[in-house]
Amino acid sequence: MPRSTLPFLLPLTLLLGACNLTNASTATPVWQEEFSGNSLDTSRWGYQIGNGFMAGSDYVAGWGNNELEYYTDRASNVSVQGGNLVITARKEKITGPAGSTTGTFDWTSGRVRTAGKFSRTYGKFEIRAKFPRGKGFWPAIWMLPEEPSPYASWAANGEIDIAEGWGSKPTELAQTIHYGGVWPNNVYSGATVNFPNGGTMDQWHTYAVEWTPGKIQWFIDGTLTSEKTQWWSANKNPPTSDADLNAWPAPFDRPFYLLLNLAVGGNFDGNPDATTPDQGQMLVDYVRVYGMQNETGSAGPRPDMTYPWTPKPARPALSDGNLVYNGSFDWSDTDPRVTPDTTSLSGAANSKFWTLYTSDGQVTLSNDAGALKADVTNAGSVNYAVQVRQDGLNIESGGKYEVSFDAWAQSARPMMLKVGGGQDRGYAAYSGEQPVQIGTTKERKTVTFDMKATTDAAARLEFNLGNAGTGPVWFDNVVVRRVGTAAGARPPAADGNLLYNAAFTQDATATVPGIPGVPGSAYWTTWSNVPERLTTGISGSVITLNVKDVDPANNWHVQLNQAEVPLTAGKSYTLTFKGRASDAREVAVVIGENGGSYARYLDGKAALGATEQTFTYTFTAPVTNIGAQFQILGAVGAAGSSYGLSFRDFRLVQNP
């Protein structure tokens, strides 16, 4: 149940064994909870309450995953009945503290843990449970390190996810570990497995991990379903070499405690939809922990593994400098550069070196007029629900890169373009997640970015077509090439402001983009998931966002952004601005990572009213990031409502 994780795992549905491989015969009971009483035993379990947590002086809403629920200690959300712990998620309004403000939430649920009451290093952890079906339900059985940990903070100090269920995919289960550097330099690895014997999540199953030095194994109903023997923990942020590693087998060599919860919405399974029931229940029959005979053995030497800084063999660029192979979808399958393991797109000829990923979206691929035609039949709930991509691009640290391609669509629509890392890079977005508007006539699209991360010889170019309408889209002549050297951190403006064009007096140019068609908007961008719902104007140094027919599912569906904001780890910053709204509206105020995990260094709120007010925020940057992003996130209110948001005098300065 990680904070700021990406919302999907690489599919690994191979079961590792059909027989019972557990070491139960050599296990000794050390702790158990049978839920035999009439209420939760608070000498063993503690409640977590709210919709987020404090990270230093900053409040992280939605538990870092954009979750919707507000956890309570009410019996209607957490109870013990008939020998089971019952955690109930309910669709109901609740108002409660959310950092320094008060928020209203549409779902309640429960989350309990043994932190400070029971934790253990190694052993067998076994839980018999039953999960609810329904889009957006996210039941989880997982473990976190007891504090204080010698390994800094999440995820350098580790996380073990015993079982996480997608409410919309009842035949599948996620089994994962999180580790690496301190957020946002964390990574994870795991498996998506099928329930044995055709089972589903809404049946009773016994979930277990057997954790010994150097090995973690996952079981469902006694069947071994996945195993991990490689991980790492860094003592420097960001880590850049093997010298930054903590001793093996850190971080999984310290006491961890248990958590049980039922989340609703967020990055993992998306938000509930019209098919989701108004109530879901996670039942837990028992939790049993055993010591194991082999838990006192040696972890052995550190295994060979890949780190973000590990050099990878680089695929050479083509003679014209293009890093994309078969960018015009015209290479034959007998091309000498094609190998037996080269990927291709089902349904599309001449598509070697390209890959398709779908989560809850659907697309039909074919060739048309020498281009790739992607006919989206189900847009899914997230932008990567339909993802056409090419892996294996060698993106070098310190380089400036240009992405260009021809695109057109049957109906005008947006897409999200990204050049980034794979699983071992935490799916970092080197280019940021770039919105691209596609029209109905063939047009050349161009995006440039500076590579500020460690060189990645296995980077990915992604065309993300999900959550943005259905219908055909065409791509052709795709090029990614290095065009120069990346710029360093941009200096503050003459008055010390880290935000450029704060008075909205500078027009966009060919080298300094702005909001299309809006004079005075250089360095600023806006975005809406449905472009026609947002119009922007600037007058008298005031920028106004006119929002029509809002989609309130997530507040980031309306954005005012400025990227390339330089921040230094450990330094304190103060943000101020003046704002008002046509009627009372609360917006999110964010400074954080532009891509990847979208980690939030400042995660604030501004309660706007008809009278202009001044808003002030102070935060400390957890990492050095010369390309951070400032955002106002404004999709708020009842579905279909319209309103205006006005701002001026943005100022971000480093404190003495």
Side-chain angles (χ1 to χ4, degrees):
M1 195 72 186
R3 169 168 61 94
S4 299
T5 186
L6 288 189
F8 65 90
L9 298 174
L10 295 178
L12 281 172
T13 54
L14 176 67
L15 294 180
L16 298 183
C19 59
N20 187 334
L21 301 178
T22 180
N23 291 316
S25 60
T26 59
T28 304
V30 296
W31 190 90
Q32 66 185 59
E33 173 63 84
E34 303 295 327
F35 299 111
S36 57
N38 297 317
S39 62
L40 189 70
D41 185 348
T42 54
S43 69
R44 292 168 157 254
W45 300 91
Y47 295 94
Q48 285 191 279
I49 296 174
N51 179 255
F53 62 95
M54 297 301 297
S57 60
D58 298 323
Y59 181 72
V60 180
W63 301 96
N65 303 306
N66 298 302
E67 298 167 36
L68 304 180
E69 80 290 330
Y70 193 91
Y71 291 125
T72 83
D73 59 358
R74 304 179 313 182
S76 58
N77 294 120
V78 181
S79 62
V80 175
Q81 303 175 37
N84 298 319
L85 171 68
V86 182
I87 299 178
T88 305
R90 299 178 182 275
K91 188 176 182 181
E92 60 178 339
K93 293 284 187 182
I94 188 171
T95 299
S100 59
T101 63
T102 298
T104 300
F105 305 90
D106 293 329
W107 288 82
T108 63
S109 191
R111 171 164 157 161
V112 299
R113 60 180 183 168
T114 64
K117 303 173 188 292
F118 172 77
S119 60
R120 198 172 196 275
T121 308
Y122 306 133
K124 178 180 178 180
F125 297 76
E126 182 180 275
I127 302 92
R128 185 170 185 263
K130 181 179 180 181
F131 293 158
R133 290 195 193 206
K135 173 67 175 175
F137 287 147
W138 180 4
I141 302 167
W142 51 305
M143 301 171 70
L144 283 175
E146 193 71 81
E147 298 294 345
S149 169
Y151 304 132
S153 59
W154 193 87
N157 59 2
E159 174 182 325
I160 302 172
D161 297 331
I162 299 173
E164 292 181 285
W166 292 272
S168 65
K169 297 187 286 187
T171 64
E172 298 179 8
L173 191 80
Q175 300 170 333
T176 316
I177 52 175
H178 297 257
Y179 52 93
V182 172
W183 167 75
N185 295 291
N186 52 286
V187 296
Y188 68 90
S189 61
T192 298
V193 301
N194 292 321
F195 283 91
N197 303 315
T200 56
M201 66 190 298
D202 54 345
Q203 300 168 332
W204 283 104
H205 295 284
T206 301
Y207 304 100
V209 293
E210 294 189 1
W211 169 26
T212 56
K215 180 186 292 187
I216 302 174
Q217 296 179 310
W218 284 259
F219 298 82
I220 302 177
D221 299 331
T223 296
L224 176 65
T225 49
S226 64
E227 176 180 294
K228 290 295 174 185
T229 57
Q230 297 181 347
W231 55 77
W232 54 277
S233 170
N235 55 36
K236 181 180 178 182
N237 197 40
T240 59
S241 71
D242 291 7
D244 299 330
L245 293 171
N246 290 311
W248 170 256
F252 300 114
D253 60 349
R254 292 293 186 271
F256 277 58
Y257 62 84
L258 284 151
L259 300 97
L260 308 171
N261 68 282
L262 175 55
V264 181
N267 300 341
F268 191 73
D269 195 42
N271 288 340
D273 60 20
T275 68
T276 307
D278 291 346
Q279 177 177 303
Q281 289 189 330
M282 170 180 170
L283 306 182
V284 182
D285 180 18
Y286 62 76
V287 179
R288 297 171 183 169
V289 182
Y290 303 86
M292 296 172 60
Q293 190 175 46
N294 57 345
E295 69 181 38
T296 58
S298 169
R302 184 187 296 275
D304 292 333
M305 64 186 89
T306 299
Y307 307 99
W309 55 86
T310 302
K312 299 179 180 66
R315 187 176 76 185
L318 301 176
S319 59
D320 62 356
N322 192 1
L323 297 171
V324 174
Y325 279 27
N326 193 21
S328 297
F329 303 97
D330 56 3
W331 288 19
S332 73
D333 291 355
T334 59
D335 186 284
R337 288 159 292 199
V338 172
T339 62
D341 61 349
T342 301
T343 60
S344 62
L345 302 173
S346 178
N350 302 326
S351 62
K352 289 294 187 180
F353 294 97
W354 291 90
T355 297
L356 173 68
Y357 172 82
T358 58
S359 57
D360 59 345
Q362 294 178 324
V363 63
T364 300
L365 301 172
S366 62
N367 303 95
D368 186 29
L372 175 70
K373 179 182 178 182
D375 189 357
V376 180
T377 55
N378 180 354
S381 60
V382 289
N383 59 28
Y384 57 84
V386 176
Q387 179 187 90
V388 177
R389 73 170 195 263
Q390 184 164 142
D391 301 345
L393 281 64
N394 182 33
I395 305 297
E396 298 174 317
S397 181
K400 177 181 287 293
Y401 288 85
E402 178 184 271
V403 183
S404 61
F405 56 96
D406 296 331
W408 64 102
Q410 186 177 77
S411 300
R413 53 158 296 148
M415 62 165 273
M416 186 273 279
L417 179 145
K418 171 184 165 184
V419 176
Q423 184 179 19
D424 67 342
R425 293 296 187 97
Y427 301 103
Y430 308 140
S431 63
E433 293 192 351
Q434 300 288 342
V436 176
Q437 188 65 28
I438 302 175
T440 56
T441 58
K442 186 175 181 179
E443 185 179 0
R444 193 73 179 165
K445 301 294 182 180
T446 302
V447 171
T448 61
F449 68 95
D450 291 341
M451 178 58 170
K452 298 170 181 175
T454 304
T455 294
D456 188 351
R460 303 146 43 121
L461 168 66
E462 301 175 6
F463 294 145
N464 292 289
L465 301 169
N467 195 28
T470 58
V473 186
W474 289 263
F475 297 100
D476 201 4
N477 302 318
V478 184
V479 176
V480 177
R481 60 164 57 97
R482 182 167 178 162
V483 293
T485 301
R490 74 184 190 189
D495 63 353
N497 195 350
L498 295 172
L499 297 174
Y500 279 22
N501 190 25
F504 300 103
T505 57
Q506 185 176 346
D507 291 342
T509 67
T511 57
V512 179
I515 304 167
V518 180
S521 64
Y523 296 99
W524 295 90
T525 62
T526 55
W527 182 82
S528 174
N529 63 317
V530 182
E532 56 267 27
R533 286 178 173 163
L534 175 63
T535 58
T536 306
I538 293 174
S539 177
S541 295
V542 175
I543 186 168
T544 298
L545 281 63
N546 293 302
V547 183
K548 179 183 178 182
D549 189 21
V550 69
D551 176 357
N554 297 296
N555 63 5
W556 64 85
H557 284 175
V558 172
Q559 300 179 8
L560 172 66
N561 305 321
Q562 184 169 143
E564 302 302 316
V565 179
L567 301 175
T568 302
K571 297 295 184 181
S572 172
Y573 297 86
T574 295
L575 168 71
T576 58
F577 63 87
K578 295 178 180 177
R580 59 182 175 85
S582 57
D583 54 16
R585 301 280 167 177
E586 183 181 73
V587 299
V589 181
V590 174
I591 297 176
E593 183 180 1
N594 182 13
S597 69
Y598 278 93
R600 296 184 177 187
Y601 316 144
L602 166 66
D603 190 3
K605 303 288 185 183
L608 305 178
T611 301
E612 185 178 78
Q613 303 173 66
T614 299
F615 298 89
T616 302
Y617 309 83
T618 298
F619 69 100
T620 299
V623 297
T624 295
N625 184 349
I626 65 173
Q629 179 171 232
F630 166 67
Q631 297 182 292
I632 298 288
L633 308 178
V636 293
S641 64
S642 301
Y643 53 90
L645 308 172
S646 296
F647 306 97
R648 67 182 177 97
D649 297 345
F650 287 108
R651 183 169 177 80
L652 175 65
V653 297
Q654 182 178 315
N655 298 319

